[in-house]
């Protein structure tokens, strides 16, 4: 079968996760070029994918000018670079696997959609949770009509402590202006996309949202807290101590230390401490310079009358995504991380009103890698799609992704302006 040729644009954490599929499945996919504005990242990726020097480029313009032939380009640059890079790729006629979020506003979103159509290019958006065994199985049950028409979708996302602090309190998504995305877009556009996908063919109509930065503010800091954790009297007791989270536990080194600009495994403890003292990674979590919300709720009503709610909380003890869907003939309830859900189907058997319960176990997604297996599965689906032209139930084209993104923009408008937003106005 045809080996799929991909080029990688943005050779950071996410880009290499996708491109590494070629290392595990060399008969299915190969990387034919890498592009990054960082010389270090570019060179690391060139070596990682065994490419000659003339297959590494320092800009999207240099890549498109070289006329490299490939089936698709993985665009895994940071959020604010998606629009210019994706537009350049589409105008040059390349198909694009584009990281989420597509972009921060509807004008750019609809521009990308139009450019994809005008140039006859495919844009697949990396909503990786759609490909996980858990959500794929939920979608299959809905598509088979087992619970009837969807009436209500209740979702929560509890973002775990270390992840939230590393990414959204001290990290590169902590400031809406600088990174171009608020918390809902940067983190939960996955969940809003899932809600729209699971609502089964009905489009979002009205959206309302409340959200606040209610915990990571100066007035919540313990008395006497200092600017840097190193000399703070609360360092040994504070849940958010930078020393504990970043230096001692060090759960996200690829992200925390990326700003040092050296291969991660060569960075010494002294260099880390020095970096923490000059970056947000050493600062008090209550005074980190971030402005992103840490607590948000979203309510969506769909055109067919169904309703969805999403409750998002940052810095929780246990990272968890809960899902409860009520349909006209039954219900689905489960927790993503548990890899199983309950399917309850109403029955008229017997004297009393009742329901049958089936527990549906999905394969241990984490065995397949990050995001409950979604990072691996998206590439498997993509390779199949590029070979056959037949999309799977999970495959997210730009047209599919637009509704979820419009919903996120509507929720952010609602949160900031204190009003309910008609998604139809955004579509127009
Ligand atoms: N799908 C998911 O679940 C998921 C999870 C985390 C992050 N993301 C998204 O993935 C994207 C990448 O995140 P990351 O953590 O890998 O970031 P990263 O900083 O590790 O990688 C981005 C890379 O792009 C390069 N780059 C930036 N601008 C460029 C340009 N104009 N041309 C070429 N290269 C450029 C940077 O030098 C860097 O190497 C972000 O949009 C992020 O929001 C998605």
């Amino acid at each position: 079968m045809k080996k799929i040729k991909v080029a990688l644009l943005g050779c950071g954490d996410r880009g290499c996760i996708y491109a590494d599929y070629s290392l595990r499945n060399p008969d299915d996919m190969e990387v034919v070029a890498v592009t990054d504005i960082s010389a270090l990242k570019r060179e690391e990726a060139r070596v990682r994918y065994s490419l000659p020097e003339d297959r590494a480029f320092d800009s999207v313009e240099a890549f498109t000018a070289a006329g490299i032939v490939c089936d698709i380009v993985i665009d895994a640059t940071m959020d604010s670079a998606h629009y210019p890079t994706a537009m350049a790729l589409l105008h040059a006629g390349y198909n694009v696997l584009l990281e989420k979020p597509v972009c921060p506003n509807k004008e750019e979103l609809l521009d990308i959609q139009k450019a994809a159509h005008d140039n006859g290019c495919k844009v697949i958006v990396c909503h990786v949770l759609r490909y996980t065994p858990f959500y794929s199985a939920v979608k299959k049950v809905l598509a088979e009509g087992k619970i009837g028409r969807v009436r209500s979708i209740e979702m929560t996302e509890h973002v775990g402590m270390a992840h939230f602090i590393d990414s959204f309190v001290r990290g590169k998504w902590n400031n809406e202006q600088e990174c171009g995305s608020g918390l809902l877009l940067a983190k939960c556009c996955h969940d809003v996309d899932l809600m729209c996908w699971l609502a089964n063919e009905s489009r979002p109509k009205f959206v309302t949202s409340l959200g606040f930065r209610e915990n990571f503010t100066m007035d919540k800091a313990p008395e006497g807290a200092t600017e840097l954790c190193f000399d703070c009297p609360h360092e040994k007791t504070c849940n958010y101590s930078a020393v504990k989270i970043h230096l001692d536990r060090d759960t996200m080194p690829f992200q925390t230390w990326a700003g040092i600009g050296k291969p991660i495994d060569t960075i010494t403890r002294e260099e880390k401490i020095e970096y923490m003292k000059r970056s947000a990674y050493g600062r008090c979590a209550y005074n980190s310079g971030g402005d992103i919300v840490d607590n948000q709720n979203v309510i969506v009503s769909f055109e067919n009358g169904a309703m969805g709610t999403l409750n998002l909380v940052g810095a929780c003890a246990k990272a968890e995504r809960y899902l409860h869907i009520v349909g006209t003939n039954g219900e689905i309830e489960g927790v993503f991380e548990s890899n199983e859900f309950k399917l309850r189907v109403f029955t008229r058997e017997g004297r009393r009103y009742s329901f049958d319960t089936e527990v549906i176990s999905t394969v241990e997604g984490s065995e397949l890698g990050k995001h409950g297996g979604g990072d691996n599965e998206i590439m498997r689906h993509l390779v199949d799609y590029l070979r056959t032209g037949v999309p799977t139930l999970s495959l997210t084209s730009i047209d599919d992704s637009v509704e979820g993104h419009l919903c996120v923009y509507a929720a952010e408008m609602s949160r900031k302006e204190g009003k309910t937003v008609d998604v139809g106005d955004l579509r127009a």
Side-chain angles (χ1 to χ4, degrees):
M1 275 209 276
K2 183 185 172 193
K3 193 190 275 194
I4 298 303
K5 291 185 191 323
V6 304
L8 176 60
L9 176 78
C11 310
D13 177 42
R14 299 297 306 167
C16 291
I17 286 175
Y18 298 124
D20 278 3
Y21 188 85
S22 66
L23 304 180
R24 295 191 300 278
N25 304 276
D27 294 337
D28 294 327
M29 195 178 108
E30 68 174 312
V31 177
V32 296
V34 293
T35 304
D36 202 298
I37 50 173
S38 149
L40 173 69
K41 289 290 168 190
R42 193 165 65 238
E43 183 57 12
E44 279 180 347
R46 188 187 71 75
V47 172
R48 189 178 187 92
Y49 303 113
S50 310
L51 294 170
E53 283 181 5
D54 65 354
R55 287 298 177 115
F57 303 93
D58 62 4
S59 68
V60 67
E61 293 77 16
F63 167 75
T64 53
I68 303 285
V69 175
C70 64
D71 296 292
I72 198 157
V73 180
I74 301 169
D75 185 339
T77 55
M78 265 296 282
D79 307 13
S80 56
H82 290 176
Y83 178 73
T85 54
M87 291 298 277
L89 292 170
L90 292 171
H91 286 310
Y94 286 102
N95 296 323
V96 183
L97 177 72
L98 183 58
E99 253 304 3
K100 51 78 7 194
V102 169
C103 54
N105 59 63
K106 73 153 189 173
E107 287 75 18
E108 292 181 357
L109 178 75
L110 300 180
D111 256 12
I112 291 177
Q113 185 184 28
K114 184 171 182 307
H117 288 295
D118 288 353
N119 292 288
C121 298
K122 300 177 174 74
V123 175
I124 309 297
V125 183
C126 294
H127 293 296
V128 291
L129 293 182
R130 286 195 186 198
Y131 302 82
T132 58
F134 178 88
Y135 288 108
S136 306
V138 169
K139 178 69 180 175
K140 188 161 171 283
V141 167
L142 293 177
E144 289 166 351
K146 288 193 173 155
I147 67 162
R149 181 177 63 78
V150 171
R151 297 176 52 214
S152 161
I153 303 176
E154 195 184 325
M155 306 171 86
T156 63
E157 181 176 5
H158 291 173
V159 188
M161 176 74 86
H163 183 175
F164 193 79
I165 302 292
D166 204 294
S167 299
F168 303 103
V169 174
R170 298 195 177 100
K172 60 189 170 190
W173 291 279
N174 83 342
N175 188 295
E176 195 166 339
Q177 199 63 37
E178 280 170 26
C179 92
S181 303
L183 182 62
L184 195 64
L185 188 62
K187 185 77 183 84
C188 283
C189 73
H190 279 310
D191 303 85
V192 178
D193 170 71
L194 286 171
M195 187 193 285
C196 292
W197 184 53
L198 298 175
N200 264 6
E201 317 297 333
S202 186
R203 297 192 304 178
K205 189 168 170 58
F206 293 112
V207 179
T208 190
S209 177
L210 287 174
F212 309 96
R213 188 178 179 88
E214 53 80 24
N215 190 40
F216 295 99
T217 54
M218 304 258 292
D219 59 313
K220 301 286 190 337
E223 210 177 312
T226 53
E227 218 170 281
L228 288 178
C229 291
F230 289 106
D231 43 29
C232 182
H234 303 286
E235 191 284 307
K236 292 280 177 273
T237 50
C238 178
N239 285 339
Y240 313 125
S241 157
V243 180
K244 176 80 183 172
I245 293 179
H246 310 299
L247 203 55
D248 296 344
R249 289 191 58 216
D250 203 3
T251 47
M252 304 182 84
F254 55 90
Q255 186 167 287
T256 318
W257 315 121
I260 295 179
K262 279 178 68 178
I264 303 299
D265 53 4
T266 66
I267 300 172
T268 63
R269 188 175 169 89
E270 288 64 41
E271 285 172 318
K272 290 177 183 175
I273 293 172
E274 187 275 325
Y275 176 66
M276 288 171 76
K277 288 184 175 168
R278 64 182 163 86
S279 73
Y281 278 108
R283 289 179 67 99
C284 174
Y286 299 97
N287 183 17
S288 65
D291 64 1
I292 221 111
V293 303
D294 52 33
N295 203 336
Q296 186 165 3
N297 278 264
V298 180
I299 305 176
V300 181
S301 71
F302 289 85
E303 285 174 349
N304 68 354
M307 298 271 284
T309 60
L310 171 65
N311 177 4
L312 156 63
V313 193
C316 303
K318 186 162 177 265
E320 185 173 279
R321 280 185 161 102
Y322 170 79
L323 175 69
H324 191 156
I325 306 178
V326 178
T328 48
N329 293 333
E331 299 179 10
I332 288 168
E333 186 181 11
V335 170
F336 170 56
E337 288 76 6
S338 73
N339 290 306
E340 66 175 37
F341 59 87
K342 293 190 181 77
L343 168 62
R344 302 188 195 103
V345 178
F346 302 149
T347 170
R348 291 171 59 104
E349 298 294 313
R351 200 164 56 85
R352 298 183 57 171
Y353 167 77
S354 185
F355 55 84
D356 294 327
T357 303
E358 184 186 347
V359 176
I360 298 186
S361 296
T362 55
V363 297
E364 179 56 60
S366 54
E367 278 176 17
L368 299 170
K370 271 185 166 180
H371 283 118
D375 290 348
N376 184 74
E377 289 303 279
I378 188 174
M379 298 311 288
R380 196 170 63 76
H381 285 235
L382 182 74
V383 166
D384 277 357
Y385 175 53
L386 293 172
R387 279 175 173 161
T388 63
V390 182
T392 61
L393 208 51
S394 301
L395 205 93
T396 320
S397 70
I398 184 73
D399 296 341
D400 290 332
S401 186
V402 160
E403 292 302 330
H405 274 76
L406 290 180
C407 239
V408 171
Y409 305 150
E412 290 296 65
M413 242 168 115
S414 168
R415 173 175 75 80
K416 290 173 186 169
E417 297 174 23
K419 63 179 190 188
T420 296
V421 176
D422 184 338
V423 182
D425 290 345
L426 298 191
R427 273 190 213 104

